[in-house]
Amino acid sequence: MLGTGAALAGMTVLPSLSFAAVGKGSWLDDAVLYELYPQSFADTDGDGIGDLNGAIDRLDYLQWLGVNTIWMNPIFPSPFTDAGYDIADYTSVHPRYGTEDDVVRLVSEARKRGIRVLFDLVAGHSSDQHPWFLQSLQDDADHRYIWATPDQLPPDGSLPESFVASPGPRAGAFMKNYYETQPAINYGYGRMNPDEPWRQPVDAEGPQRNRAAMREVMDHWLNLGISGFRCDLAATLVKDDPEWVETRKLWGEMREWLDANHPDALLIAEWGDPATSVPAGFSGDFFLPVNGPGDGAAWKSLWQENPYFSAEGTGTAKIFVDAWQQAREAIGDQGGRTLLISANHDGATRLNNGVRSPEEIPAAFTFLLTWPSVPTLYYGEEIGMRMVEGLPDVEGSKGRQRNRTPMQWSDGPNAGFSTADPEDLYIPIDPDPNRPTVQAQLEDEGSLLHFVRRLLKLREKHPELGTSGDVRVFHDGYPLTYLRGDRFLVAVNPSREKVSVGIDDDRLAGATPVIDGGVQVNESGLTVPGFGFAVFDLR
């Protein structure tokens, strides 16, 4: 049975949607991001935790794959109640990862291979062990964090939502952002409320002091050679901010400062709503499983909730296509970009999620690497690493450890990740004896790894397949079918059933397959087998 929107008998030619190419942006236009979760990527000192030297040792692999930008999750000093997203020092390196000299060497060695390095900017909260917070505990006049004094709190002794009782000696309570060990840094409120007298405006001394501090943090790392930041929880810095009016002003101010001091640096948002965040000053933003219209509906419709990329064939790509179109129209010619992930360290589960089979994954990658968003690979996705349930909680992971198992480099001990005893590993290795490895797939030209590399090389060779090339969508059902740069016809069928679609293009009869996953061409359209995919050159 054909899925939603699939072409029915007779292969009726469907109307198309056209999105014009946008103006040239920054170097993000040509970027292929790779999220490198440092503690799970490669361990060189045998303590069971990945480190900076491990990342350096694997740069040749990333260059070979076709990656030109790596985003590293936090490597800063931390008590690790949230795997490093509780930062105790913004301008140092935790010893388990290495030293600041290792950062400099990483940046230098990456540049030799044409790879840029992005760090996380966790501006919305720190650890409760950060010197800033420890100082605020001693000083009632310190407004670096959001504090409510005893007389501002409810008389019945209860605490407002998200507030945590002071651990002392300062009386009152502070606001948390996520865990109680993550006090919210004060950037002010978008509006005042007499029922919450602790609120401060965005131009108060504390909020302004924090903006200056984050500029200093960025300046420190940019001067060491990194190329920009992925900005954690970017939409939440200013509290109670309808339509993000003050939040957008804040990030616009940051962008102006960067333009004056580090004009090539990127700011990429963890916002989940490119239509809002990119016009505010970000270089780009991710579609994510949270935030934005429909609380992540665009991403979920592809990968998670009755997903388009499912063997059942009951989803639709229209939700994503419409959201992408709206974002492009909102961005206009400002040069910013959308970023698309299949998985990440957080709530975006791996393609190999226990539901999808390995044979379904190539069609997903064909879409991911030929759609005009900046592709972002999560480490191990390129070999089909799986999501592993039932693992112990690690450093506040709360279920997210299922996406964070060590990189599978070889069939050696600990899958080549570390020489540590297995019980000392940061997270256990995937126990499946048939787990995929880089080594095995390097030796197999027909592997997923080589397939991903071929797609990336094709994208690199032909600008029509990149972010600047236009896209004309012929069909947003099964198979998803679109034309890139008026040259490359792409068709992907994530469902298990064979489907057909009509294509209104006289060049179809002479189409040359450059990526061939079993698609048949006739005068009026395509027939795509279950889990089939193809990229055709119409020139």
Side-chain angles (χ1 to χ4, degrees):
M1 181 177 180
L2 295 177
T4 302
L8 300 176
M11 296 192 302
T12 303
V13 173
L14 298 165
S16 65
L17 301 173
S18 294
F19 310 133
V22 299
K24 180 72 175 176
S26 68
W27 57 263
L28 185 61
D29 280 353
D30 302 314
V32 176
L33 267 70
Y34 189 95
E35 183 186 353
L36 190 160
Y37 196 65
Q39 48 264 57
S40 294
F41 193 63
D43 170 28
T44 60
D45 61 9
D47 65 355
I49 302 174
D51 46 50
L52 288 164
N53 283 326
I56 294 168
D57 286 352
R58 301 297 181 170
L59 288 172
D60 285 342
Y61 164 74
L62 296 176
Q63 181 187 25
W64 172 87
L65 179 60
V67 167
N68 59 25
T69 309
I70 57 176
W71 154 35
M72 297 189 72
N73 304 97
I75 57 166
F76 317 113
S78 169
F80 297 110
T81 62
D82 187 16
Y85 280 91
D86 50 325
I87 296 173
D89 185 345
Y90 283 99
T91 55
S92 296
V93 177
H94 193 284
R96 81 181 193 183
Y97 300 114
T99 67
E100 195 169 272
D101 287 342
D102 292 327
V103 171
V104 173
R105 191 163 70 91
L106 170 65
V107 169
S108 175
E109 292 299 318
R111 282 184 175 178
K112 292 176 184 177
R113 295 162 175 82
I115 298 173
R116 293 178 169 92
V117 178
L118 303 179
F119 276 1
D120 255 303
L121 182 69
V122 187
H125 56 258
S126 73
S127 165
D128 61 2
Q129 301 304 305
H130 196 291
W132 294 348
F133 188 73
L134 298 178
Q135 171 61 31
S136 77
L137 287 174
Q138 307 293 327
D139 184 358
D140 290 355
D142 188 312
H143 297 293
R144 178 144 253 164
Y145 298 87
I146 300 174
W147 280 92
T149 60
D151 62 297
Q152 295 173 332
L153 293 170
D156 63 2
S158 63
L159 293 177
E161 183 179 3
S162 297
F163 273 76
V164 178
S166 173
R170 183 172 182 170
F174 67 89
M175 176 180 279
K176 67 175 182 176
N177 251 5
Y178 194 51
Y179 294 136
E180 292 188 359
T181 57
Q182 294 169 313
I185 294 175
N186 182 18
Y187 294 92
Y189 281 76
R191 56 186 175 183
M192 298 298 100
N193 181 346
D195 295 330
E196 298 185 355
W198 58 80
R199 296 188 179 203
Q200 294 187 339
V202 295
D203 59 356
E205 182 273 337
Q208 290 298 310
R209 182 184 181 196
N210 287 324
R211 293 188 192 210
M214 287 303 152
R215 291 193 293 269
E216 292 175 3
V217 170
M218 288 191 286
D219 194 55
H220 175 84
W221 294 113
L222 292 168
N223 285 335
L224 291 180
I226 75 160
S227 296
F229 301 90
R230 173 265 192 187
C231 301
D232 186 68
L233 294 173
T236 67
L237 268 58
V238 177
K239 308 303 182 186
D240 192 11
D241 185 22
E243 303 299 321
W244 302 282
V245 171
E246 296 298 336
T247 304
R248 286 184 289 169
K249 288 179 182 177
L250 183 156
W251 288 112
E253 176 188 299
M254 295 291 191
R255 183 68 255 176
E256 289 179 4
W257 175 83
L258 284 172
D259 287 343
N261 296 276
H262 303 279
D264 291 332
L266 294 188
L267 286 181
I268 297 175
E270 186 205 22
W271 193 305
D273 183 11
T276 299
S277 59
V278 175
F282 282 96
S283 312
D285 186 14
F286 298 94
F287 283 106
L288 295 170
V290 293
N291 301 332
D295 193 28
W299 186 92
K300 291 174 183 174
S301 71
L302 292 177
W303 314 114
Q304 189 168 291
E305 294 183 356
N306 188 27
Y308 179 77
F309 285 92
S310 166
E312 299 304 314
T314 57
T316 175
K318 178 176 173 55
I319 297 170
F320 170 79
V321 170
D322 287 351
W324 183 88
Q325 179 187 16
Q326 291 163 10
R328 293 309 313 160
E329 291 174 349
I331 293 168
D333 60 359
Q334 299 175 65
R337 299 298 175 196
T338 62
L339 291 87
L340 184 58
I341 62 170
S342 62
N344 67 7
H345 69 288
D346 231 338
T349 55
R350 290 189 178 278
L351 285 173
N352 191 353
N353 62 354
V355 178
R356 294 185 194 92
S357 63
E359 64 182 331
E360 298 177 52
I361 294 177
F365 268 112
T366 301
F367 161 72
L368 185 70
L369 300 181
T370 62
W371 187 260
S373 291
V374 178
T376 304
L377 305 182
Y378 185 49
Y379 81 98
E381 286 289 274
E382 71 273 19
I383 60 171
M385 279 178 59
R386 71 183 184 118
M387 184 182 76
V388 182
E389 297 283 12
L391 297 172
D393 181 78
V394 179
E395 297 181 349
S397 54
K398 288 194 173 181
R400 295 171 293 175
Q401 65 270 29
R402 63 187 182 176
N403 276 7
R404 300 175 179 180
T405 53
M407 182 68 172
Q408 295 156 199
W409 294 105
S410 71
D411 291 330
N414 299 323
F417 163 70
S418 173
T419 60
D421 291 335
E423 59 269 20
D424 292 332
L425 296 182
Y426 178 72
I427 292 175
I429 293 286
D430 179 356
D432 186 346
N434 297 315
R435 60 184 175 245
T437 68
V438 171
Q439 182 182 37
Q441 293 199 13
L442 281 173
E443 297 169 358
D444 178 7
E445 287 287 338
S447 67
L448 178 63
L449 177 60
H450 279 281
F451 179 71
V452 171
R453 182 174 186 258
R454 286 196 296 273
L455 279 169
L456 287 173
K457 292 300 180 185
L458 186 68
R459 184 184 180 100
E460 179 184 28
K461 181 179 180 181
H462 297 288
E464 296 96 331
L465 291 169
T467 59
S468 297
D470 63 12
V471 59
R472 180 184 179 193
V473 177
F474 287 105
H475 193 206
D476 53 27
Y478 294 89
L480 175 59
T481 311
Y482 49 93
L483 184 66
R484 295 300 320 277
D486 196 37
R487 176 176 180 181
F488 291 101
L489 180 66
V490 182
V492 295
N493 175 26
S495 76
R496 63 170 60 93
E497 303 295 335
K498 180 171 68 174
V499 292
S500 298
V501 65
I503 303 296
D504 185 15
D505 195 307
D506 294 339
R507 299 170 294 175
L508 190 61
T512 302
V514 290
I515 296 291
D516 187 0
V519 178
Q520 296 179 343
V521 180
N522 56 47
E523 290 182 353
S524 58
L526 306 173
T527 299
V528 188
F531 311 134
F533 53 87
V535 179
F536 294 99
D537 191 343
L538 299 185
R539 284 190 181 175

